[in-house]
Amino acid sequence: MNQNLTADRQTFVTHLECSITGERYEADQLHGLSRAGRPLLVRYDLDAVRSAVSRDTIEARPTDLWRWRELLPVRHTSNIVSLGEIETPLVPLTKSGGPNVLVKDEGRLPTGSFKARGLVMAVAMAKELGVTKIAMPTNGNAGAALAAYATRCGIETIVFCPDDTPEINVREIAMQGARVWRVNGLIDDCGAIVGKGAAEGRWFDFSTLKEPYRIEGKKTMGLELAAQFGWKLPDAIFYPTGGGTGLIGMWKAFDELEKLGWIGSERPKMFAVQASGCAPIVRAFEAGEEHAERWEDASTVAAGIRVPKAVGDFLILRAVRESGGQALAVGDPAILKAVDAAAKQDGLLLCPEGGATLAAYHQALNTGLVDEDDKVVLFNCATGLKYPMPEAPQALDRTRPIDFDAL
Ligand SMILES: *Cc1c(COP(=O)(O)O)cnc(C)c1O
C-alpha cells in the first residue's frame, strides 16, 4: 500500500470561493458553480500547512500525487480510489525541440492522460460528499478517467461525447463501466444535455470546472514542476488549452507555494496553446477581452482542445496575462508535423495536443517570445498510443529470397 495513503488524515481546507465575486462557500458540502455561474476555488489555511509540513517532509515521501496531501481537499484517505497516480517524468526533447526543452509526459498516468489527476480528486470528493450518479460531457480522455475511478468506487456514470470523438476513447469509456453516448454535436452541446439532467436532479454535473475539485487535482502538475526544478520554476510553460483546468490549476499552485514560502515570486511565462480551428482564448487574448466568445464550427485533429467555450475563460486569460505569456494558435499541419518530428527524431510519441505545444514553441521561438536559453516545459497530456498513426504496410515473404540490402 502506498505510504502516502496509509494514515487517515486531516486536511487544511477552510472554504471555497467564487472565482469572480470572491463570495465564500462552506467546505464539506456539495457544490457546482457559484451563484454567479463561475468556478469555485478551494482555499486552505496555508499558515497551518506551513507549520504541519516542510519542503523536506514532502521530498522525503514517495514521489506520487498524494505526497501533496496537505494541499489537497480530500478529508479521509479512505475516500481516495487510487490507480497509481505517479509523478510524471520530464523528458528532454533535444532534437525536435532544443537544448532546453523538456516534455512533462502525462501519458504515463492511469488511463493514459492527465485527466486522471483531476478526476481522481473529483471522484474522491464526490464519494466523500455522497454522490452516487455522475454525468459528464467529454472529448474523450476525461470520460475515460471518470469511468475508471467512478466504477472503481461504485459510482454510476453516464458520459456524452461528440460522435467524432476518437474511437479508442469511446471504447475505453464503455470498457471501464460507464454508459457512453455519442452525440451529434460538440462538447458544449453534450454539456447542455448534462446540465438539463442535473437540473432535473437525475445526476451530478461533472463538466470541466463545474465542480470545484478537478482544478485541485490538476494543480499537482504545478506542485510537481516546482519540486522537479528544485523549488524554482521553468522560464516558460506551453499548455494545450481546452477548458484550461491545468493552466488555472498550475497558476493556483504557484500562488500557494509562494504563500508557503517554498518558491519565490518569479513565474514562468504561461502560453495557452490552441488549434487554429478552435481558438476562442487566442481571439479574446488578442482583442484584450476578459471573456471569450464561443468559437463557431470548431474543428481540429487535436480533439482534447476542441472546446468552443470555456467557463473558466477569464481565469485562463488572467493567468496568461499576469505571467507575461501569450495565447497562441497553431494549425493542424504544424501539429501533425510536430508529432512526427518528436517521434522520428527523439523517439517520443506525443498526442496531437502535445504536438501543438511543440509547434507553438517553435512559433514562439521564431517570433522572439522565448529564446533558446529559456528553460521550457511542454505538456504532453496523453499517450500518443491512443491516436491514429500512419500505416506501416511493408511485409516480408520469408519463403522467398530476401534482398538484405533493401531492408
Ligand atoms: C483535456 C485535454 C486537454 C485540455 O486540457 P484542459 O486542462 O481541459 O485545458 C488537452 N489535451 C488532451 C489530450 C486532453 O485530454
Side-chain angles (χ1 to χ4, degrees):
M1 173 83 190
N2 177 347
Q3 269 182 55
N4 288 341
L5 286 181
T6 41
D8 213 29
R9 67 189 168 88
Q10 159 190 28
T11 178
F12 294 90
V13 176
T14 52
H15 64 283
L16 287 74
E17 200 176 277
C18 172
S19 55
I20 205 155
T21 65
E23 190 190 352
R24 210 182 150 100
Y25 291 74
E26 294 293 310
D28 305 307
Q29 288 179 11
L30 197 58
H31 296 294
L33 289 172
S34 73
R35 271 178 282 272
R38 292 295 169 174
L40 289 173
L41 300 173
V42 182
R43 297 299 180 202
Y44 299 82
D45 181 350
L46 294 172
D47 292 327
V49 173
R50 196 187 306 108
S51 319
V53 278
S54 64
R55 286 187 339 194
D56 293 344
T57 323
I58 303 265
E59 287 195 313
R61 293 177 180 163
T63 56
D64 67 18
L65 183 148
W66 303 106
R67 78 192 315 208
W68 302 102
R69 59 199 182 224
E70 285 85 358
L71 289 169
L72 298 174
V74 190
R75 296 247 189 240
H76 302 287
T77 317
S78 54
N79 289 320
I80 295 170
V81 257
S82 176
L83 287 163
E85 296 71 34
I86 58 159
E87 178 181 276
T88 57
L90 290 166
V91 183
L93 209 60
T94 325
K95 295 187 192 123
S96 59
N100 292 305
V101 177
L102 298 170
V103 173
K104 191 147 171 71
D105 190 9
E106 299 279 297
R108 324 275 177 117
L109 285 160
T111 70
S113 88
F114 66 5
K115 291 297 193 300
R117 293 184 189 269
L119 272 312
V120 72
M121 206 64 60
V123 168
M125 292 306 294
K127 186 173 170 222
E128 195 154 275
L129 297 169
V131 174
T132 56
K133 199 166 174 180
I134 293 172
M136 175 198 264
T138 183
N139 279 327
N141 288 317
L146 170 66
Y149 288 111
T151 297
R152 201 167 163 83
C153 66
I155 295 177
E156 202 180 331
T157 49
I158 302 126
V159 174
F160 303 89
C161 57
D163 52 12
D164 59 351
T165 297
E167 189 60 29
I168 189 143
N169 287 135
V170 184
R171 293 189 189 197
E172 65 178 324
I173 294 168
M175 186 82 184
Q176 286 161 179
R179 299 207 293 282
V180 58
W181 295 93
R182 302 170 199 248
V183 178
N184 52 348
L186 291 173
I187 188 166
D188 51 351
D189 301 311
C190 298
I193 300 169
V194 171
K196 190 157 191 290
E200 290 174 5
R202 295 178 183 277
W203 52 54
F204 186 63
D205 186 342
F206 245 46
S207 305
T208 308
L209 299 182
K210 289 194 181 166
E211 63 72 55
Y213 302 107
R214 268 165 80 177
I215 295 182
E216 296 305 295
K218 283 278 196 86
K219 182 177 90 176
T220 58
M221 296 190 294
L223 302 174
E224 271 177 32
L225 278 182
Q228 287 176 307
F229 275 82
W231 307 103
K232 288 194 286 288
L233 296 171
D235 297 311
I237 293 177
F238 288 75
Y239 186 81
T241 306
T245 329
L247 197 146
I248 296 165
M250 283 192 278
W251 199 244
K252 183 172 187 284
F254 300 153
D255 197 40
E256 290 171 1
L257 288 171
E258 185 183 352
K259 290 197 175 113
L260 287 169
W262 294 1
I263 62 168
S265 59
E266 311 79 34
R267 292 287 183 278
K269 285 185 188 159
M270 305 295 281
F271 290 96
V273 179
Q274 299 202 298
S276 316
C278 182
I281 299 295
V282 179
R283 187 170 61 189
F285 179 86
E286 287 172 355
E289 306 281 354
E290 214 206 328
H291 293 278
E293 296 278 304
R294 183 176 196 268
W295 188 277
E296 299 304 326
D297 302 319
S299 142
T300 167
V301 289
I305 51 176
R306 195 179 61 174
V307 178
K309 175 110 186 99
V311 58
D313 53 0
F314 65 108
L315 296 172
I316 303 168
L317 287 160
R318 269 185 210 167
V320 169
R321 288 187 177 120
E322 280 174 30
S323 77
Q326 276 208 18
L328 298 172
V330 289
D332 281 2
I335 292 176
L336 296 172
K337 204 172 137 224
V339 170
D340 199 55
K344 294 234 168 67
Q345 297 167 28
D346 289 292
L348 187 66
L349 195 59
L350 302 174
C351 61
E353 299 78 4
T357 66
L358 177 56
Y361 169 69
H362 285 296
Q363 185 179 313
L365 204 57
N366 291 337
T367 52
L369 295 172
V370 292
D371 63 55
E372 275 218 325
D373 298 330
D374 286 329
K375 289 197 171 53
V376 168
V377 171
L378 311 179
F379 270 87
N380 183 47
C381 355
T383 168
L385 291 172
K386 286 199 194 192
Y387 300 88
M389 281 176 247
E391 275 182 58
Q394 298 92 322
L396 199 62
D397 183 350
R398 68 183 169 80
T399 64
R400 298 174 61 107
I402 292 173
D403 176 3
F404 280 89
D405 289 334
L407 295 180

